[in-house]
Amino acid sequence: MGTSPLDDTRFVGHRRKLIEEIQAKGIDDLETLQYFDVVPRHIFIPEVLWPRAYEDAPLPIGFGQTASQPSLQAYYLQLLSPGRDEKVLEIGTGSGYLTALLALAADRVYSIERLSELSQRARKVLDSLSANNVALLVGDGTIGWKKFAPFDVIVVSAASPSIPSALVDQLDEGGRMLIPVGSRESQELVQIKKTGFVVTEEVVKGAVTFVPLLGRFAWQSEGV
Ligand code: SAH
């Protein structure tokens, strides 16, 4: 019999503390908070950082990338509120932690990452959690994933200079999307909603900092 990371009780107390911190930052949706109780964050980050795994902080995951701050991911989940029968597209798999949280909430999660090493690592961790409603792709998320479009929810976890139109096109009616838009140094979180033929954009949070979205319809180079 294999042991699942879900049976590992060592970090249960740490998770409870993280949930309290997330709650203190204004997240009160019980379902959202419960996802953080179920998914072990430490297995998504390098082992040397395990002592810090349940801090409400972004953490380095290699290749110059970071696992986002948990309370910010909770904010995404609460606002977008993916339904059990809904399809989610995630741009920037990174560690795969948000992917796992989304997989608990939604019917299917399609996640794109440009760095194959990170995608492969995320695949292993997600498999160890038996998250079998997740499809991963190595590629440029700024063009979306046409094959499985349209999506009810689109989550962009990297900062963009503008809203890639392919992503808005791949949003279903009644669909919601969140994307950090701005400069390389600082962005605002923009929520896009599609109701019938009408697309609305609203800034829902200011002054956030994400790693850059690098691709055809975002920034083309790592440099500043
Ligand atoms: N939610 C993730 C965030 C990772 S950081 C986590 O918490 O771990 C954002 C990720 O977006 C990085 O891994 C980066 O490599 C990836 N990324 C940047 N540009 C991309 C693009 N055009 N397509 C797909 N992934 C991209």
Side-chain angles (χ1 to χ4, degrees):
M1 254 174 48
T3 50
S4 160
L6 294 174
D7 299 328
D8 186 346
T9 53
R10 274 179 301 169
F11 292 94
V12 171
H14 296 72
R15 277 208 283 287
R16 291 284 146 81
K17 272 186 77 182
L18 172 63
I19 289 167
E20 277 167 26
E21 235 179 285
I22 292 173
Q23 253 177 321
K25 287 177 181 158
I27 309 298
D28 54 14
D29 177 57
L30 291 179
E31 255 182 292
T32 298
L33 295 168
Q34 208 218 327
Y35 303 145
F36 286 84
D37 206 14
V38 176
V39 182
R41 188 180 189 224
H42 65 278
I43 61 173
F44 290 91
I45 59 168
E47 198 162 347
V48 289
L49 292 172
W50 281 13
R52 298 187 52 205
Y54 295 94
E55 286 177 16
D56 186 29
L59 291 172
I61 52 171
F63 310 97
Q65 307 304 323
T66 53
S68 313
Q69 187 180 9
S71 57
L72 201 49
Q73 297 182 319
Y75 182 79
Y76 266 63
L77 286 160
Q78 174 165 282
L79 201 64
L80 295 168
S81 184
R84 292 267 177 273
D85 57 347
E86 290 194 317
K87 247 166 46 173
V88 179
L89 174 68
E90 178 187 38
I91 312 301
T93 316
S95 66
Y97 180 56
L98 182 58
T99 322
L101 296 165
L102 289 165
L104 282 179
D107 181 40
R108 285 203 70 77
V109 181
Y110 300 87
S111 185
I112 309 175
E113 169 57 54
R114 60 181 278 275
L115 299 172
S116 62
E117 291 89 344
L118 288 179
S119 184
Q120 280 164 25
R121 211 192 279 163
R123 174 86 275 165
K124 279 194 194 130
V125 183
L126 290 164
D127 283 349
S128 77
L129 294 173
S130 306
N132 43 29
N133 58 342
V134 175
L136 300 183
L137 177 74
V138 175
D140 178 7
T142 67
I143 57 173
W145 197 342
K146 227 175 173 174
K147 189 175 169 193
F148 297 106
F151 301 96
D152 302 293
V153 170
I154 299 181
V155 174
V156 185
S157 292
S160 182
S162 59
I163 301 166
S165 61
L167 297 182
V168 180
D169 291 344
Q170 292 178 24
L171 203 55
D172 204 354
E173 275 197 31
R176 298 87 70 200
M177 166 169 153
L178 269 179
I179 177 168
V181 181
S183 66
R184 285 184 188 251
E185 293 77 30
S186 177
Q187 308 91 37
E188 290 175 324
L189 212 49
V190 180
Q191 178 172 232
I192 294 117
K193 282 187 182 170
K194 201 184 253 189
T195 318
F197 292 112
V198 183
V199 177
T200 55
E201 285 173 27
E202 184 193 352
V203 174
V204 289
K205 202 180 187 61
V208 289
T209 309
F210 284 79
V211 297
L213 184 67
L214 297 170
R216 192 161 151 209
F217 297 109
W219 280 294
Q220 265 99 53
S221 72
E222 309 251 2
V224 187

